[in-house]
Amino acid sequence: MKLESNATIQIQKPIEVVFESIVNPEKMTKYFISESSGRLESGKEVIWKFPEFEDKFPTSEIKIVNNNSISFVWDPETVVIITLEELPDDNTIVRVNENGKELNDDNLKWALENSGGWANFLACLKAYLEYGILLRKGAFDFMRK
């Protein structure tokens, strides 16, 4: 049995704006990561850095379908798939699915933590796009001590 981590949210912005905010590092560094080696593009590899961790995270096997989906690998055992669904009135549903790990105690802990992590990603994206609020700023400083 394979485990999955899932999170979903509705954002009151057009699909093009939401998509660009996920693939563009200038926007993504405002709400999720602190550094990126480049834009998410099909066939490319980028390196992400998070403010609360010393490690850098290679993001590979990137597949982009404009204004529809983004997928990548940053854990060799999993694939992340972000899908966008356009709604009336310039609203967008964003779904994140990360899957692939075998069921065991360690991976069950991973699934629970990652579901919370992806929910945080979506909340930060929504706050940034709809209200210009940077939810991650200072939120994880305690992890660096």
Side-chain angles (χ1 to χ4, degrees), residues 18-88:
V18 176
F19 177 82
E20 183 65 15
S21 297
I22 296 171
V23 298
N24 183 337
E26 290 178 23
K27 300 209 182 272
M28 210 176 208
T29 55
K30 303 283 193 264
Y31 69 89
F32 186 52
I33 56 177
S34 59
E35 297 173 31
S36 176
S37 65
R39 183 180 179 86
L40 293 177
E41 296 174 339
S42 290
K44 195 172 168 184
E45 178 176 298
V46 298
I47 308 296
W48 282 346
K49 171 99 176 59
F50 292 84
E52 63 270 20
F53 302 115
E54 291 300 316
D55 296 341
K56 294 188 178 188
F57 298 85
T59 305
S60 62
E61 299 181 39
I62 299 168
K63 294 179 186 143
I64 303 292
V65 178
N66 247 11
N67 299 325
N68 182 276
S69 66
I70 299 124
S71 69
F72 56 86
V73 171
W74 66 351
D75 172 338
E77 295 179 55
T78 68
V79 175
V80 175
I81 302 165
I82 301 171
T83 56
L84 307 176
E85 179 185 339
E86 188 171 22
L87 297 175

Side-chain angles (χ1 to χ4, degrees), residues 84-97:
L84 307 176
E85 179 185 339
E86 188 171 22
L87 297 175
D89 300 327
D90 286 331
N91 283 262
T92 303
I93 293 177
V94 183
R95 291 182 176 87
V96 181
N97 171 276

